[in-house]
Amino acid sequence: MRLSALALSTTKETPADAEIVSHQLMLRAGMIRRLGAGLYTWAPLGMRVLRRVEAIIREEMDNIGALEVLMPAIQPAELWRESGRWEAMGPLMLRMTDRGEREYCFGPTHEEVITDFVRRDFRSYKQLPVNFYQIQTKFRDEIRPRFGLMRAREFIMKDAYSFHIDEADLNREYHKVRSAYVRILDRIGLDYRVVAADSGDIGGARSEEFHVLAGSGEDALAVSTSGHYAANVEAAGTIAPTGKRAAPGGELKKIATPGVATIAGLCEFLSVDATQTAKSIVVMGDDGLPVLLVLRGDHKLNEIKAENLDGIAAPLTMADEATIREHFGAGPGSLGPVNVNIPVIADHALTHASDLVVGANYDGSHFTHFNWGRDHPEPRFADLRDVVAGDASPDGQGTLEILRGIEVGHVFQLGDKYSASMNLTVLDESGANVTPQMGCYGFGVSRVVAAAIEQAHDDAGICWPEAIAPFDLVIIPIKADKSERVRAACEQLYAEARTAGIDAAYDDRGLRPGPMFADAELIGIPHRIVVSERGLDAGKLEYKGRRDSESRQVENSLAAIAEAMGRPEGQ
RNA sequence: CGGGGCAUAGCGCAGCUUGGUAGCGCGUCUGCUUUGGGAGCAGAAGGUCGCAGGUUCGAAUCCUGCUGCCCCGACCA
């Protein structure tokens, strides 16, 4: 491609409203432009990257025998009413009506449509298994779109749905897709982790997420030093401690702690470690009455674990201050388990704790030397907290470290949630009706582009992994308008490169060298060739890899360039 | 949806407190010079100051309402 024909529009200055580096660089490089909140146009440069990602995904999905389809983005409401999600999806779903007042949504996902598609044509177990996928635009009316393409409202997703006669076959396909995702991310060239996940609203049994590691990632991942365990922190379990509880070291004592309403403040005021304190959180039970959750002061409540407990309302609802005052006689910041008459559930990290500092249920007061059994009946202990770095791995091997990740893929075993609610059945070998098992597999196509930049950039711009770079090579002429030789050499290289299957960009825009170098680095082309009179006199070209600190001279031939690029003949 | 902030030329910003000629940098266009790391000189174009009301002789500036966007919290590929 001649860069003069690409409608390239780069900027030196960073747009003010772009927060994270991938968003900034995509805007500066002219890959995308914003239309509205969470809505972006892909410019020609961005499309080149997008198409290469899509090509890799298609190849790997095709390789496992998945079949590409394309479903409508606009979906009728009746379908969603059948599965029960017209109400359940809530405001996340963009809804609309046509001129006849018929209701539709812009699809946030396609379980209903694909299930409908299959139930119309599939009658026999002989037609299974099958796995359909599409690469398509989704719309989710996110509460807060942010970070450019990372959390856009309209985005491009590869979604796949498989159908099986039984769970064993679903499990087999699940692992096939999982391995395809591994190959996709290996080929793109990103550092990622596959982690166990909470299944969330989509429902179903088993699910794992694929996270590209990046400090800016929105998810926390718990990964075992042994390499055997990895889970989203949301879904990572903690192990009940072993050992014995120490005997009380003193009498329960009420002390004045005026103005202290946080654990940090309490620790400073009393000069105690947060591990010797307990925090009290009041949530609503499923009977509409409050339940007291008690955690060690330095631990954080895991809301998913809490709402999954018997007796706790889901979704998890914090008690409001009026309810708290009614049952405790004090406000948040001074609460504790002493003399309360509502259910108490304590995190099992506190099972063997003794002599804790807890709120006194009296504003501005705390108790010291709180002990279970003596100062409050033994509570119900449960896993309530987020894991933290250094915790023992739940599989008993090694300890956990916490990494940040960007979720780019998610594989689920759905079971019969949709096939059952939407009456999809096929006949099995014995002629009996069977409800097929389903799997679903999402991959964020536009998001992985942003994630790649988060992981691969420097001060000058993007450093694309070669597999998804917009171009393989950029050819930069020096003083092209003065030198027929330079122009001719560039044209020849450009033509030869294309013939050899190297996707080359020829910077024929007639700019001075500085801006050409800066643009090539900003848009992240992995390999650069500079053609100059000086070099041609010596029969040389100058080669520089995007991540190289220095350039080097190579022979003036495509073979030498291919060699420098790490692509020997025939590649 | 709750809390905070912003809205002035394509982009980044100043001007607003104390009302009176709309400005700077980058970019864009023209000409000349320049050409190995975002050039120099000269000239030019480009703004109903987010929208609607109000106060005033006069509003970018003060007041009211609205809209859009960004940031911090609960969702997800």
Side-chain angles (χ1 to χ4, degrees):
Chain A
M1 177 106 211
R2 291 170 196 273
L3 289 187
S4 63
L6 187 63
L8 187 62
S9 181
T10 61
T11 62
K12 209 173 355 177
E13 293 187 83
T14 302
D17 53 8
E19 195 72 5
I20 62 169
V21 71
S22 59
H23 191 197
Q24 293 171 352
L25 288 175
M26 272 192 270
L27 288 169
R28 285 190 53 208
M31 290 178 63
I32 57 169
R33 287 291 179 254
R34 194 184 69 87
L35 178 64
L39 302 173
Y40 293 88
T41 295
W42 286 83
L45 180 71
M47 282 306 293
R48 290 186 148 256
V49 177
L50 200 56
R51 288 291 181 235
R52 292 188 81 165
V53 172
E54 289 177 359
I56 291 171
I57 293 172
R58 279 201 173 86
E59 280 180 32
E60 295 300 338
M61 292 306 290
D62 290 347
N63 272 343
I64 60 167
L67 301 167
E68 185 164 10
V69 296
L70 183 58
M71 294 179 261
I74 306 292
Q75 308 176 11
E78 302 94 81
L79 220 44
W80 289 78
R81 292 210 167 92
E82 274 192 65
S83 71
R85 289 207 293 181
W86 185 253
E87 287 75 27
M89 289 295 282
L92 186 70
M93 197 151 71
L94 177 65
R95 295 155 209 257
M96 64 199 96
T97 53
D98 68 7
R99 69 176 94 193
E101 297 297 310
R102 286 176 287 264
E103 293 177 289
Y104 296 86
C105 66
F106 194 109
T109 177
H110 280 69
E111 283 82 5
E112 282 81 359
V113 179
I114 197 70
T115 304
D116 181 68
F117 176 74
V118 169
R119 74 179 167 184
R120 288 171 189 276
D121 290 340
F122 283 60
R123 295 286 175 268
S124 162
Y125 73 96
K126 291 178 185 171
Q127 294 167 288
L128 302 182
V130 68
N131 189 348
F132 293 111
Y133 79 95
Q134 65 174 346
I135 294 176
Q136 198 230 25
T137 297
K138 300 281 188 274
F139 188 95
R140 295 184 190 174
D141 199 356
E142 294 282 351
I143 298 161
R144 187 149 92 81
R146 59 183 139 174
F147 301 149
L149 290 179
M150 206 65 86
R151 182 170 298 281
R153 290 196 295 172
E154 186 177 308
F155 60 99
I156 301 167
M157 174 165 151
K158 189 286 302 173
D159 46 330
Y161 308 90
S162 67
F163 295 82
H164 309 275
I165 197 68
D166 57 26
E167 287 179 24
D169 195 58
L170 167 60
N171 196 46
R172 177 200 53 73
E173 182 74 13
Y174 174 92
H175 283 94
K176 240 164 99 175
V177 178
R178 187 185 189 281
S179 65
Y181 277 23
V182 164
R183 283 192 296 275
I184 289 166
L185 286 166
D186 284 346
R187 283 182 61 184
I188 293 176
L190 296 176
D191 189 11
Y192 65 96
R193 295 288 185 281
V194 187
V195 304
D198 178 69
S199 294
D201 294 336
I202 299 181
R206 173 152 190 208
S207 88
E208 287 167 287
E209 295 168 346
F210 289 71
H211 285 263
V212 171
L213 299 185
S216 59
E218 291 193 82
D219 285 278
L221 314 176
V223 178
S224 160
T225 50
S226 72
H228 295 298
Y229 179 87
N232 193 307
V233 162
E234 290 176 348
T238 62
I239 297 182
T242 54
K244 283 176 63 178
R245 188 184 297 166
E251 290 304 307
L252 188 68
K253 186 178 167 199
K254 185 160 149 186
I255 51 169
T257 52
V260 173
T262 63
I263 294 293
L266 185 65
C267 293
E268 189 175 333
F269 188 84
L270 294 176
S271 296
V272 296
D273 195 80
T275 58
Q276 270 306 305
T277 67
K279 64 169 125 187
S280 300
I281 299 167
V282 187
V283 302
M284 300 312 291
D286 52 16
D287 56 2
L289 294 171
V291 174
L292 177 63
L293 305 179
V294 182
L295 286 92
R296 209 169 79 184
D298 58 324
H299 286 156
K300 184 170 175 290
L301 176 68
N302 181 307
E303 300 195 3
I304 290 173
K305 291 177 182 177
E307 74 182 24
N308 286 337
L309 289 177
D310 288 342
I312 306 282
L316 192 70
T317 311
M318 298 293 170
D320 57 32
E321 181 147 359
T323 307
I324 291 173
R325 289 211 171 265
E326 178 191 338
H327 289 268
F328 289 81
S334 303
L335 303 180
V338 179
N339 289 328
V340 298
N341 56 2
I342 61 171
V344 175
I345 305 174
D347 181 66
H348 58 204
L350 290 173
T351 308
H352 304 315
S354 54
D355 295 315
L356 291 165
V357 179
V358 301
N361 297 328
Y362 187 84
D363 284 335
S365 292
H366 283 77
F367 284 118
T368 58
H369 295 288
F370 170 85
N371 286 276
W372 298 117
R374 183 188 73 181
D375 307 319
H376 185 277
E378 290 292 337
R380 173 177 161 198
F381 288 103
D383 181 2
L384 280 179
R385 68 178 174 96
D386 278 346
V387 296
V388 295
D391 276 349
S393 177
D395 65 356
Q397 299 183 51
T399 57
L400 298 179
E401 59 179 330
I402 307 294
L403 304 175
R404 304 297 303 185
I406 299 163
E407 185 187 352
V408 297
H410 201 157
V411 290
F412 289 93
Q413 296 191 14
L414 286 176
D416 64 2
K417 180 179 162 95
Y418 298 94
S419 44
S421 63
M422 296 181 66
N423 295 315
L424 163 64
T425 60
V426 296
L427 296 176
D428 70 8
E429 282 177 289
S430 64
N433 275 311
V434 176
T435 301
Q437 296 287 307
M438 287 176 63
C440 86
Y441 319 93
F443 195 98
V445 179
S446 42
R447 183 182 281 180
V448 82
V449 173
I453 296 173
E454 288 295 321
Q455 203 170 79
H457 66 271
D458 62 17
D459 290 346
I462 303 166
C463 304
W464 289 114
E466 299 208 19
I468 62 169
F471 298 99
D472 299 325
L473 170 73
V474 59
I475 300 167
I476 294 180
I478 302 294
K479 286 197 241 188
D481 59 338
K482 291 278 171 55
S483 169
E484 175 61 37
R485 281 171 70 207
V486 167
R487 284 201 302 276
C490 286
E491 290 288 352
Q492 186 182 343
L493 277 178
Y494 176 52
E496 286 177 3
R498 288 198 299 167
T499 306
I502 294 172
D503 192 358
Y506 171 27
D507 197 341
D508 62 339
R509 295 177 297 170
L511 302 181
R512 296 162 54 84
M516 287 194 285
F517 292 147
D519 277 350
E521 283 158 9
L522 175 61
I523 70 181
I525 302 175
H527 304 281
R528 183 185 89 184
I529 288 291
V530 177
V531 180
S532 66
E533 283 275 354
R534 205 165 71 196
L536 291 176
D537 286 341
K540 302 281 190 185
L541 301 170
E542 176 189 296
Y543 169 83
K544 183 174 178 294
R546 176 62 181 82
R547 291 168 183 276
D548 298 345
S549 53
E550 299 294 333
S551 61
R552 65 179 202 264
Q553 302 294 311
V554 298
E555 293 300 318
N556 180 4
S557 74
L558 190 70
I561 294 171
E563 170 93 32
M565 290 171 68
R567 292 189 181 202
E569 294 300 331
Q571 288 281 304

